[in-house]
Amino acid sequence: MKFIGYLLSVGLSVFSVNSAAQINFSWTVNAGPINPHQTSPNQMYAQAMVYEPLVKYNKGGELLPWLAKSWEVSEDGKAYTFFLRDDVKFSNGETFNAQAVKANFDQVLKNFEKHRWLELINQIDKTVVADEFTVVLHLKNAYYPALQELSLVRPVRFMAPSAMPKEGNTGDGIAEPVGTGPWMLDTSVLGVKDTFVRNPYYWGEAPAHEKVEVSVIADPNARALAFESGMVNLIYGLEGQISPDTFDRFTKDPSLHTALSDPISTRLIAMNSARSATQEREVRIALNHAIDRDAIAKGIFYGTELPANSLFARNVPYADIELTDYNHSVKQAKKVLDDAGWVMSSEDTYRSKEGKELAVELVYHGHDANQKAIAEVLQANFKDVGVKLILAAEERSRFYKRQKGGEFDLIFNNTWGSPYDPHSFVSGMRVPSHADYMAQAGLPNKAEIDQTIDAILSSTDEAERKKLYTSLLNSLHDQAVYLPVTYMRITGVAASKLGKFSMGSTVFDIPFEQFQ
């Protein structure tokens, strides 16, 4: 009832009633300034509504022509020539052309330090305008994921040059969000809602609905209540937008349209190979056998997430390979630990070796209810095989400090998801500030792993790249440095009047244009 009280306090008039002419969505915060070249507080779903890429990421890693109708890659992999559509305008009527593309890349490079987390930005040498609708992107080195990273929501989508600051760069702010996408921002009420309307100059098929109204609703239970009251007619997103039990309840309502995406990223735990008992490969293998992934997927996530048996789901590019599952087996986990010298008598609760108790610490985000619930299941699972699991709840900043500094035995960590997996995620394994690097630091073949990643990213031969990925993923799996938990999926619920829909290929591609 707290949510209803809030609505009454602000006045129901600020929320439009559902109509055939609009989609009523919700998000946890306002859309922000919708600057295509910046991160928070800009919300990625809104950036994806307003701005478009040269190439579009499709399911399974397929890349589709978008603002670029075609492209060519030089034999050495260092020059990408894009042939642009000649029928595209920004939402203010400006022509989209090669000069606009160059202006956007130049703006991103002016704020290079902000964007160097993305390897493509590090690799850009220059952008050259060949003619009005042809632009050439020159790289310092061959970098095979260039096209994949050009499909990202930020920072390489395109705004109208006239909306850029006359001095400084877009890192300092923009005049207004002007893109080529099917939607443009109409109004924004801080803490209440954002309203998007159709772009009158859109080059593609116009959306069937006139507007998308996005109410600011932070709490998933309040969002569900708003949906049931008719104030919201679409819920869509990864964890946090709707609770798994509520989604399960909605799937049983024949008047609603519900859907789940293919696996979008992996919820996992990184195990530190450089400290504590997790230095031992046998301990890491035993913990992989000890975890009951099915119970977690069903009991905590009501089947909205799937049990994960490897670092990446098999729908991820280059990850469709055969790996031996670390199946849930208390018997097998005990045998591995016995053989490794970790023993316990009938009077003991936990195992020990050379007088040292087998105890490891799991760090989790203290405000994340799902991580807490998983941690408690793992504590029971590990106890069944004689391993003591100490739970350490940390607030956000401390959690990430421990993750980046390697101050953990075990710590929660997700893969980056589509379209970042696998290339961006494995690229980050080479960087000391990432949990993955810290978890792998004690592996005897860490230098070889990093060299394989270097070779993958600079490869120009597809067959060779597949072999390298297979070698890398087999090595990481064999070392058992990760404890995969579940494959995360996007949940979607639409009111009957909106009709059926299919899930986007990434968490940020909300299917507003699909609804008729």
Side-chain angles (χ1 to χ4, degrees), residues 333-353:
K334 287 181 176 180
K335 182 179 185 308
V336 171
L337 292 172
D338 285 340
D339 292 346
W342 291 98
V343 297
M344 60 187 292
S345 68
S346 57
E347 292 81 25
D348 294 331
T349 302
Y350 300 110
R351 294 173 179 269
S352 63
K353 182 165 65 172

Side-chain angles (χ1 to χ4, degrees), residues 244-259 298 301-304 492-493:
D245 59 323
T246 301
F247 178 80
D248 181 65
R249 176 164 58 85
F250 284 165
T251 62
K252 296 177 174 62
D253 186 337
S255 70
L256 303 178
H257 301 288
T258 60
K298 294 174 184 176
F301 297 107
Y302 290 78
T304 59
V493 184

Side-chain angles (χ1 to χ4, degrees), residues 16-26 49 183 194-196 207-215 231-235 494 498 510-516:
S16 300
V17 296
N18 288 349
S19 70
Q22 74 180 48
I23 296 171
N24 291 72
F25 187 56
S26 66
M49 293 174 73
W183 305 97
D194 298 293
T195 303
F196 298 83
H209 293 80
E210 295 175 3
K211 66 168 66 174
V212 176
E213 186 171 280
V214 186
S215 301
M231 193 171 295
V232 169
N233 58 21
L234 173 66
I235 299 176
L498 287 184
I510 301 173
F512 297 122
E513 296 80 46
Q514 287 186 24
F515 296 109
Q516 301 301 313

Side-chain angles (χ1 to χ4, degrees), residues 351-372:
R351 294 173 179 269
S352 63
K353 182 165 65 172
E354 298 174 354
K356 185 176 181 179
E357 187 178 59
L358 181 47
V360 291
E361 181 187 59
L362 171 60
V363 182
Y364 71 95
H365 194 306
H367 297 293
D368 189 317
N370 288 333
Q371 286 189 9
K372 183 176 187 293

